[in-house]
Amino acid sequence: MTPLLALLVILAAPRVSGEDPRLVRLYQQVAADFDERRGGFVRGDGTPIEGAVELAFARGREEGDPEWLARGHATVAGMHSLIDSTGGGFFMRFRDADPSQTGFDKP
Protein backbone atom coordinates (compact mmCIF):
# COMPACT_ATOMS: atom_id res chain seq x y z
CA MET A 1 0.00 0.00 0.00
CA THR A 2 1.43 3.38 -0.95
CA PRO A 3 1.83 6.02 1.74
CA LEU A 4 -0.81 8.22 0.08
CA LEU A 5 -3.36 5.38 -0.05
CA ALA A 6 -2.66 4.53 3.58
CA LEU A 7 -3.09 8.21 4.44
CA LEU A 8 -6.50 8.29 2.76
CA VAL A 9 -7.58 5.18 4.70
CA ILE A 10 -6.56 6.77 8.00
CA LEU A 11 -8.23 10.08 7.13
CA ALA A 12 -11.47 8.25 6.36
CA ALA A 13 -11.45 6.60 9.80
CA PRO A 14 -13.31 8.24 12.69
CA ARG A 15 -11.37 11.04 14.40
CA VAL A 16 -9.67 10.35 17.70
CA SER A 17 -8.43 12.93 20.13
CA GLY A 18 -4.89 14.06 19.42
CA GLU A 19 -2.95 13.26 16.29
CA ASP A 20 -2.70 9.56 15.47
CA PRO A 21 0.97 8.49 15.39
CA ARG A 22 0.29 6.51 12.20
CA LEU A 23 -0.95 9.67 10.56
CA VAL A 24 2.10 11.62 11.71
CA ARG A 25 4.36 8.89 10.28
CA LEU A 26 2.54 9.03 6.92
CA TYR A 27 2.85 12.82 6.83
CA GLN A 28 6.57 12.38 7.41
CA GLN A 29 6.85 9.84 4.60
CA VAL A 30 5.08 12.12 2.15
CA ALA A 31 7.20 15.09 3.28
CA ALA A 32 10.35 13.01 2.71
CA ASP A 33 9.35 12.62 -0.96
CA PHE A 34 9.64 16.38 -1.48
CA ASP A 35 12.69 17.27 -3.58
CA GLU A 36 12.96 20.95 -4.46
CA ARG A 37 15.84 20.32 -6.90
CA ARG A 38 13.62 18.10 -9.05
CA GLY A 39 10.47 20.23 -8.87
CA GLY A 40 8.86 19.34 -5.54
CA PHE A 41 6.61 16.31 -5.15
CA VAL A 42 7.53 14.32 -8.28
CA ARG A 43 8.12 10.66 -9.10
CA GLY A 44 11.42 9.33 -10.39
CA ASP A 45 10.46 10.15 -14.00
CA GLY A 46 9.45 13.72 -13.10
CA THR A 47 5.68 13.15 -13.09
CA PRO A 48 4.04 15.31 -10.39
CA ILE A 49 2.39 13.45 -7.48
CA GLU A 50 -1.04 15.08 -7.35
CA GLY A 51 -2.05 13.50 -4.03
CA ALA A 52 1.03 14.90 -2.29
CA VAL A 53 0.31 18.37 -3.67
CA GLU A 54 -3.30 18.15 -2.47
CA LEU A 55 -2.10 17.03 0.95
CA ALA A 56 0.38 19.91 1.11
CA PHE A 57 -2.32 22.48 0.41
CA ALA A 58 -4.76 20.78 2.81
CA ARG A 59 -2.19 20.78 5.63
CA GLY A 60 -1.37 24.40 4.88
CA ARG A 61 -5.03 25.40 4.87
CA GLU A 62 -6.39 23.28 7.72
CA GLU A 63 -3.41 23.21 10.07
CA GLY A 64 -1.92 26.57 9.11
CA ASP A 65 1.42 24.89 8.40
CA PRO A 66 3.51 27.28 6.25
CA GLU A 67 6.09 24.61 5.39
CA TRP A 68 3.47 22.34 3.77
CA LEU A 69 1.98 25.32 1.95
CA ALA A 70 5.43 26.26 0.62
CA ARG A 71 5.96 22.67 -0.61
CA GLY A 72 2.66 22.77 -2.50
CA HIS A 73 3.49 26.12 -4.09
CA ALA A 74 7.00 24.96 -5.03
CA THR A 75 5.59 21.88 -6.80
CA VAL A 76 3.00 23.92 -8.70
CA ALA A 77 5.73 26.39 -9.72
CA GLY A 78 7.80 23.46 -11.00
CA MET A 79 4.80 22.21 -12.97
CA HIS A 80 4.84 25.41 -15.03
CA SER A 81 7.82 23.93 -16.89
CA LEU A 82 5.49 21.18 -18.14
CA ILE A 83 3.48 23.59 -20.30
CA ASP A 84 3.92 22.70 -23.98
CA SER A 85 4.00 26.10 -25.65
CA THR A 86 4.49 24.55 -29.11
CA GLY A 87 1.94 21.75 -29.27
CA GLY A 88 -0.39 23.06 -26.56
CA GLY A 89 -1.42 21.39 -23.34
CA PHE A 90 1.01 19.89 -20.86
CA PHE A 91 3.83 17.38 -20.94
CA MET A 92 3.33 14.42 -18.61
CA ARG A 93 6.83 14.57 -17.08
CA PHE A 94 9.88 16.79 -17.12
CA ARG A 95 11.92 14.64 -19.51
CA ASP A 96 9.24 15.12 -22.20
CA ALA A 97 9.99 18.86 -22.21
CA ASP A 98 13.55 18.13 -23.42
CA PRO A 99 13.61 18.91 -27.16
CA SER A 100 16.39 16.36 -27.75
CA GLN A 101 13.99 13.54 -26.74
CA THR A 102 11.01 13.51 -29.03
CA GLY A 103 7.77 12.15 -27.69
CA PHE A 104 4.16 13.15 -27.91
CA ASP A 105 2.63 11.42 -24.89
CA LYS A 106 -0.03 13.66 -23.43
CA PRO A 107 -2.79 13.00 -20.92
Side-chain angles (χ1 to χ4, degrees), residues 57-106:
F57 284 126
R59 294 280 297 168
R61 180 182 61 247
E62 296 167 8
E63 304 294 328
D65 189 331
E67 188 173 358
W68 277 98
L69 194 57
R71 290 173 182 149
H73 282 293
T75 304
V76 170
M79 290 170 60
H80 281 86
S81 64
L82 296 175
I83 296 173
D84 181 0
S85 59
T86 305
F90 290 88
F91 294 111
M92 291 181 65
R93 53 198 160 263
F94 292 111
R95 70 177 170 86
D96 293 339
D98 183 0
S100 67
Q101 296 181 359
T102 58
F104 297 98
D105 299 341
K106 295 225 178 145

Side-chain angles (χ1 to χ4, degrees), residues 6-7 10 23 35 44 53 55 68 82 106:
L7 180 62
I10 291 174
L23 188 58
D35 185 355
V53 177
L55 175 65
W68 277 98
L82 296 175
K106 295 225 178 145

Side-chain angles (χ1 to χ4, degrees), residues 22-81:
R22 297 173 300 165
L23 188 58
V24 171
R25 189 171 54 249
L26 287 171
Y27 287 153
Q28 292 169 345
Q29 287 177 341
V30 173
D33 285 339
F34 181 78
D35 185 355
E36 192 168 4
R37 292 177 295 118
R38 294 185 47 238
F41 288 114
V42 294
R43 292 180 178 83
D45 66 354
T47 306
I49 305 171
E50 296 93 355
V53 177
E54 288 182 44
L55 175 65
F57 284 126
R59 294 280 297 168
R61 180 182 61 247
E62 296 167 8
E63 304 294 328
D65 189 331
E67 188 173 358
W68 277 98
L69 194 57
R71 290 173 182 149
H73 282 293
T75 304
V76 170
M79 290 170 60
H80 281 86
S81 64

